[in-house]
Amino acid sequence: MRTRVLVLGGSFAGMTAALSVRSRLGDEVEVTVVGASDRFVFNPSLIWLPFGRRGRTDVSFLLEPTFTRRGVRFVHASALRVDPDVHEVETTAGTFGYDYLVIATGYRNDLDAVPGLRDVPTITTLADAERTGDAWRRFLDEPGDVVIGATQRASCFGAAYEFLFTTSYQLRRAGLHGKVRLTYVTSEPYAGHFGIDGMPGARALMGMFARREGIEVVTGAQMSEIRTDAVELDDGTVLPYRFAMVVPPFHGQDFLAGTPGLVDAGGYVPVRPTYQTERWDDVYAVGIAAAVPVPWVTQVPVGIPKTGFPTEQQAHVAAAHVVAQVRGEAPSHEKEFADIPALCVMDAGNDGVAMVADRMLPPPRFAAMVPGPQNHLAKLAFEKYSIAKMRRGLVRLP
Ligand SMILES: Cc1cc2nc3c(=O)[nH]c(=O)nc-3n(C[C@H](O)[C@H](O)[C@H](O)COP(=O)(O)OP(=O)(O)OC[C@H]3O[C@@H](n4cnc5c(N)ncnc54)[C@H](O)[C@@H]3O)c2cc1C
C-alpha cells in the first residue's frame, strides 16, 4: 500500500505542503487534500474588493483542477475531528486514514472578541470583503466620518494599514479627501508596530504616511463596543463613523480542540522547528494553524502576523521532513518561525512600502523598509505572479 499523506486545508499552507510532497515522492505517495473551501483565495487582494478594483474570480480559483493535474486528490469537505492515536480524520465526507497528517486549516475570525464586532465590515475573508463593498457604496451615497481599525489581539495589521491608505486614496478619488475625518484605531502600542515590533524606521514611516494623508491615529486602543455608528474604547473615547472596517483577532479552527493536547488556548497547534506537533511525530501543522508564541507583552495584547512567505516556508520544511520520514532518511529540515525571513509589500493606494528582514521576529541582523510608488506596482506584480503560480500548482517556485 502506498504511503498516505492527508492534508487539511487547501490554501497557501495546505496547497504548498500537498504539492511539494507529491512532486518529491511521485507515485510513492497518495496525497489527499480535504478543504472546507473549494476555492483558493488570494487574501492579499481582498483590500481592493470593496472598492470594485477586483472581483471574486480575479482573486480566487477552483482548487480541484489544480490538484488533479498534479496527481493530488481534492475532497471538498470540512474536517470534524482528528484522532492521532488511530490515524484517522473524520470529515463531512467520511473518515480518512493517514500515515502522515498535515494540518493547514488557518484561521477563523474571532467575532466575539468585542461586542458589535460581528456587525461591522471587515475584509479578512472573501465574503466579508464583498459585504464591505456594499457598505462602501452606501457610504459614497451618504458620506461621513471613516474609522479603520484593528482590535485587541488582532494580528493582521498589514491588511489594516493597506486598507487604511487605500481608503484614503479612494476618498481622494471620490472628492471626499479632507472633507471627512479618517481615523486609524489600533491595539498596537505605536503606529508601525505591525505586531512584530522591530522593523527599523517603521514608526517614523507610518507616522509620516498618516500625517501626509491627514489621518488621525489612536494607538494602544482597547475596543469596548462597536456600535452601528461608533467605535467605543475602554478609556471612554467614542469614534463616530459612517463607514468602518475593523480587522478582528484570529482563532484556530474549533474542530482541532476536540483532540486533547493538540491546540493551545488560541486554537493553534504548538509545533517543533520541523512543524511536527509536540506530541505526534506523524502529525504536522503549518501556516496560520501553527502556534507562534508572542515573545513580548504590550499593554493591550496584539497578535503576531503570519504572512504568506513564512506560511509557504513552513509548508516546505514540513514537506521535506515528511519526505525524509517516508524514505527513512535522517530528518534534517528545521526552521523556526522566528528565523524565517520577512518579505512583504504594503500597498498604499498609488504608493507603498517594501519591507525586508532576515528574520520574522526581532532582533533582525538586517532589515529595511523602502517607501515609494514603485511598491504599488510591485504589489500588482506580486498578485499576478502568485495567483498564476498557485493556479498552476508550481509551489516550488519562490
Ligand atoms: C485581508 C488579508 C490580507 C493579507 N495580505 C497579505 C499580504 O499582503 N502578504 C502576505 O504575505 N500575507 C498576507 N495575508 C496573510 C496570508 O493570507 C496568510 O499568510 C495565508 O492565508 C495563510 O495561509 P494558510 O493556508 O495558513 O491559512 P488560510 O489561508 O486561513 O487557509 C486555511 C484553509 O483551510 C480551510 N479550512 C478551514 N477549516 C477547515 C476544516 N475544518 N476542514 C478542512 N479545511 C478547512 C479553509 O477553507 C482555507 O482554505 C493577508 C491576510 C488577509 C486576511
Side-chain angles (χ1 to χ4, degrees):
M1 201 168 97
R2 291 192 297 167
T3 303
R4 295 161 307 166
V5 178
L6 180 62
V7 179
L8 307 180
S11 182
F12 291 84
M15 188 183 248
T16 304
L19 296 180
S20 179
V21 168
R22 170 70 193 182
S23 81
R24 285 158 192 255
L25 288 175
D27 286 339
E28 280 181 63
V29 279
E30 180 186 294
V31 182
T32 303
V33 173
V34 172
S37 168
D38 61 351
R39 301 191 81 83
F40 176 89
V41 179
F42 188 68
N43 289 339
S45 298
L46 296 180
I47 54 164
W48 293 316
L49 252 78
F51 306 110
R53 305 286 297 275
R54 297 288 184 283
R56 169 171 283 252
T57 50
D58 302 320
V59 303
S60 71
F61 59 85
L62 284 173
L63 285 169
E64 195 273 332
T66 301
F67 281 127
T68 303
R69 206 179 313 125
R70 300 271 161 199
V72 170
R73 178 180 173 209
F74 177 69
V75 180
H76 182 200
S78 295
L80 300 172
R81 206 173 70 85
V82 175
D83 192 337
D85 297 325
V86 296
H87 292 82
E88 278 182 1
V89 177
E90 202 182 299
T91 80
T92 51
T95 299
F96 291 79
Y98 66 83
D99 297 302
Y100 297 96
L101 175 67
V102 182
I103 298 169
T105 45
Y107 64 93
R108 70 162 170 83
N109 290 336
D110 182 359
L111 297 175
D112 294 322
V114 181
L117 185 55
R118 208 164 272 285
D119 301 317
V120 72
T122 189
I123 52 161
T124 52
T125 70
L126 181 55
D128 287 324
E130 287 174 333
R131 277 193 292 273
T132 299
D134 298 336
W136 176 256
R137 285 182 285 279
R138 286 195 298 275
F139 163 82
L140 290 179
D141 288 339
E142 220 180 317
D145 292 340
V146 176
V147 173
I148 308 298
T151 65
Q152 47 271 27
R153 292 195 293 104
S155 54
C156 200
F157 293 105
Y161 281 105
E162 288 192 302
F163 193 80
L164 172 70
F165 295 124
T166 302
T167 301
S168 183
Y169 174 67
Q170 293 294 334
L171 286 173
R172 192 168 272 118
R173 292 189 68 196
L176 293 169
H177 200 267
K179 295 183 184 149
V180 300
R181 193 165 62 166
L182 175 57
T183 304
Y184 178 56
V185 55
T186 177
S187 50
E188 296 158 279
Y190 58 87
H193 181 282
F194 284 107
I196 54 170
D197 186 24
M199 285 301 288
R203 188 178 195 151
L205 202 57
M206 289 304 103
M208 188 270 283
F209 265 65
R211 275 192 303 281
R212 192 187 68 185
E213 295 298 314
I215 298 168
E216 291 177 27
V217 178
V218 182
T219 56
Q222 172 115 10
M223 295 183 191
S224 54
E225 186 177 353
I226 303 175
R227 302 199 314 251
T228 51
D229 59 355
V231 175
E232 288 186 7
L233 308 184
D234 256 11
D235 64 4
T237 305
V238 176
L239 302 167
Y241 69 81
R242 189 62 63 76
F243 173 80
M245 192 293 293
V246 177
V247 169
F250 291 162
H251 193 280
Q253 302 295 350
D254 294 330
F255 77 96
L256 295 169
T259 305
L262 184 60
V263 292
D264 65 13
Y268 299 118
V269 182
V271 287
R272 306 174 227 170
T274 55
Y275 298 96
Q276 286 164 295
T277 52
E278 286 180 344
R279 195 152 146 200
W280 295 279
D281 283 349
D282 45 19
V283 181
Y284 291 74
V286 288
I288 293 187
V292 176
V294 181
W296 48 70
V297 178
T298 45
Q299 201 179 355
V300 177
V302 296
I304 288 187
K306 300 172 181 171
T307 50
F309 186 73
T311 289
E312 291 180 26
Q313 295 297 305
Q314 292 175 332
H316 282 303
V317 170
H321 205 271
V322 168
V323 170
Q325 280 185 303
V326 170
R327 291 185 171 155
E329 293 168 357
S332 60
H333 301 89
E334 296 196 353
K335 191 126 198 166
E336 286 200 37
F337 176 86
D339 294 327
I340 296 174
L343 199 56
C344 223
V345 181
M346 189 195 86
D347 192 45
N350 55 353
D351 202 346
V353 182
M355 305 183 206
V356 190
D358 67 331
R359 55 196 311 273
M360 281 298 293
L361 297 183
R365 282 179 299 275
F366 164 81
M369 295 187 81
V370 184
Q374 73 280 0
N375 295 307
H376 174 63
L377 299 175
K379 175 96 186 186
L380 299 179
F382 166 64
E383 175 196 48
K384 301 285 173 274
Y385 170 78
S386 303
I387 294 178
K389 176 182 109 171
M390 296 311 258
R391 192 196 292 268
R392 286 170 180 74
L394 300 172
V395 297
R396 293 179 76 179
L397 290 178

